[in-house]
Amino acid sequence: MKHLHVTVHVDDDHAPEFFELLANSSAINETRLVDWSMAADEQSTLLYTVDGDPTTFAERAADTAGIDSVELSDTTQGQTYVLVVMRPLETPLFAAIQRASTEAGLIVRKPIVYRNGTMSARVVGDASVLQRALEDAPNGVEVQIDEIGRLQSHANDPVGALSDRQREAVGAALELGYYTQPREATHEDVAAELDCAPPTASDHLQKAEAKIIREMMDEFGGTA
């Protein structure tokens, strides 16, 4: 079973306004489309995470053609969820993604990542099916296949690659504030929660963090 990593480039002269907001806004570092609902009527509902200024995103998105409503969550550690209701027929690039998502023999996996003026996605299926699905994409859109490989287990669930003890260590560290800024807990605190020695807790955390980072980098072709 083929697993493809693809990057979508859009010419500046043809970039839809909403795509520019998602992928090329100075106020946003990165946007991720993490889920969507393909309604039977003319509207679709999309859930994004925004790393950047959510207020600027919401204000600009609300004034964009094809966008009916924008709702923001609270911001946690720089990340904000954004619920967007749109009309795909008026947002051609997403309409192309929607068509690709409904092609037999092809799955567009979540999240879809927008940054540095491009859109990146993972696709399971046949490259020729993907190409056919995007033949009707708007002018100026180029789909680049960056990598073709075999579908790996845990590719969409990096936490699933952890051992039970590693998962317990990460859960305890999160609960105790080990990953907050400023840090509110130490290896010793995590070790006390796990009833183990501090070096053992440190080892669990380091191995878990390495696995999660490796899975996420592999997912988007970030490793050599």
Side-chain angles (χ1 to χ4, degrees), residues 12-203:
D12 291 341
D13 293 340
H14 295 92
E17 185 178 359
F18 191 55
F19 176 83
E20 283 287 285
L21 175 58
L22 294 170
N24 215 18
S25 170
S26 60
I28 297 171
N29 299 317
E30 180 180 278
T31 311
R32 290 185 171 221
L33 176 55
V34 296
D35 213 342
W36 61 74
S37 172
M38 307 296 188
D41 56 19
E42 296 180 352
Q43 290 181 318
S44 292
T45 304
L46 299 88
L47 181 65
Y48 294 92
T49 60
V50 171
D51 177 3
D53 182 356
T55 303
T56 298
F57 180 93
E59 290 174 350
R60 288 187 56 192
D63 293 333
T64 301
I67 305 301
D68 288 338
S69 67
V70 181
E71 182 179 351
L72 298 177
S73 74
D74 293 335
T75 299
T76 303
Q77 296 184 348
Q79 296 285 332
T80 308
Y81 282 102
V82 184
L83 192 69
V84 176
V85 178
M86 68 158 54
R87 297 185 299 278
L89 292 179
E90 297 181 38
T91 52
L93 187 54
F94 182 74
I97 298 172
Q98 188 176 36
R99 285 193 299 273
S101 300
T102 59
E103 283 286 328
L106 191 70
I107 295 290
V108 179
R109 306 188 68 194
K110 309 176 184 74
I112 296 175
V113 180
Y114 299 81
R115 61 171 174 252
N116 299 328
T118 65
M119 179 179 73
S120 297
R122 296 160 296 134
V123 178
V124 177
D126 190 294
S128 63
V129 177
L130 174 64
Q131 192 62 48
R132 289 199 304 271
L134 293 176
E135 283 178 355
D136 295 330
N139 291 333
V141 174
E142 176 189 354
V143 180
Q144 171 185 318
I145 299 177
D146 300 314
E147 183 179 358
I148 300 177
R150 294 290 179 182
L151 182 63
Q152 302 293 322
S153 62
H154 307 306
N156 199 37
D157 180 19
V159 177
L162 304 184
S163 69
D164 290 345
R165 197 58 168 161
Q166 289 166 356
R167 194 177 297 110
E168 289 176 12
V170 172
L174 285 169
E175 184 69 24
L176 293 169
Y178 178 80
Y179 292 111
T180 61
Q181 292 292 334
R183 183 167 286 177
E184 298 175 356
T186 65
H187 288 151
E188 287 75 13
D189 298 319
V190 176
E193 185 72 17
L194 297 177
D195 193 23
C196 68
T200 302
S202 176
D203 184 64

